[in-house]
Amino acid sequence: MSIEPIAAVLGRVPSGLFVLSARRGDEELGMLASWVMQAGFNPPMITVALGRDRPLADWLIDGVAFVVSVLSADQRPLVRHFGRGFASGESVFDGIPIHRAEGEIPTPSGAIGYLRCEPISHIDSEDHLIFLARVVDGQLDDGQKPMVHIRKNGLKY
């Protein structure tokens, strides 16, 4: 069986684009993510899949709270900024307008809304860590359309 049809179909599974951010002491991290999904009603839960090499994955394993910001269709500059990736210790939010969610977590301004989450557990896949998190707070700025992400190849970003 050829992998090409599988890659093509997986690439057509739509997702949103999100900025994940967290604060631990004086350090702050942020990254672009597309694999975020609601996973429960009561309590509200989400899953987030992060590449094993992402510094934020280590923080979530340690139980650090994080924010998921839902990007609007007109926030392409944030996609470019956060899509390049950042090493631990780099200034992630320089030049980006932010506000601070509860717990002082930096959150990009202008997003459709955000969810503040606490990681509960995770499972390992071959190349990603999949986190289950409880949603403990959120805010909506209604009236914007969410950014939708569709890839040509579902086997790479």
Side-chain angles (χ1 to χ4, degrees):
M1 171 187 250
S2 171
I3 193 78
E4 292 172 18
I6 295 169
V9 174
L10 283 174
R12 296 329 186 272
V13 175
S15 67
L17 283 174
F18 311 89
V19 171
L20 275 55
S21 54
R23 180 182 177 93
R24 181 171 67 177
D26 291 336
E27 289 183 272
E28 297 178 334
L29 285 178
M31 63 171 281
L32 186 67
S34 60
W35 293 349
V36 175
M37 184 177 77
Q38 186 173 348
F41 293 125
N42 190 16
M45 305 283 271
I46 64 167
T47 59
V48 176
L50 302 180
R52 293 179 169 276
D53 61 338
R54 297 296 191 149
L56 187 56
D58 293 332
W59 287 23
L60 298 190
I61 288 171
D62 291 342
V64 173
F66 65 101
V67 166
V68 175
S69 298
V70 180
L71 296 182
S72 70
D74 63 352
Q75 289 187 297
R76 294 261 176 231
L78 287 180
V79 172
R80 283 189 295 279
H81 178 81
F82 288 100
R84 70 179 185 88
F86 294 88
S88 196
E90 260 190 279
S91 296
V92 176
F93 296 96
D94 283 352
I96 301 296
I98 62 167
H99 67 277
R100 301 251 173 210
E102 187 178 329
E104 294 298 309
I105 299 172
T107 306
S109 298
I112 289 175
Y114 71 84
L115 301 170
R116 190 170 61 83
C117 305
E118 296 173 349
I120 302 300
S121 64
H122 73 279
I123 59 172
D124 297 340
S125 72
E126 293 293 321
D127 55 0
H128 283 73
L129 297 171
I130 302 152
F131 293 91
L132 177 65
R134 180 181 298 113
V135 178
V136 296
D137 191 22
Q139 183 173 327
L140 175 66
D141 179 11
D142 208 4
Q144 301 179 73
K145 292 184 187 254
M147 189 176 301
V148 177
H149 182 55
I150 298 174
R151 297 168 290 149
K152 291 181 182 176
N153 182 334
L155 300 180
K156 60 184 178 179
Y157 295 117

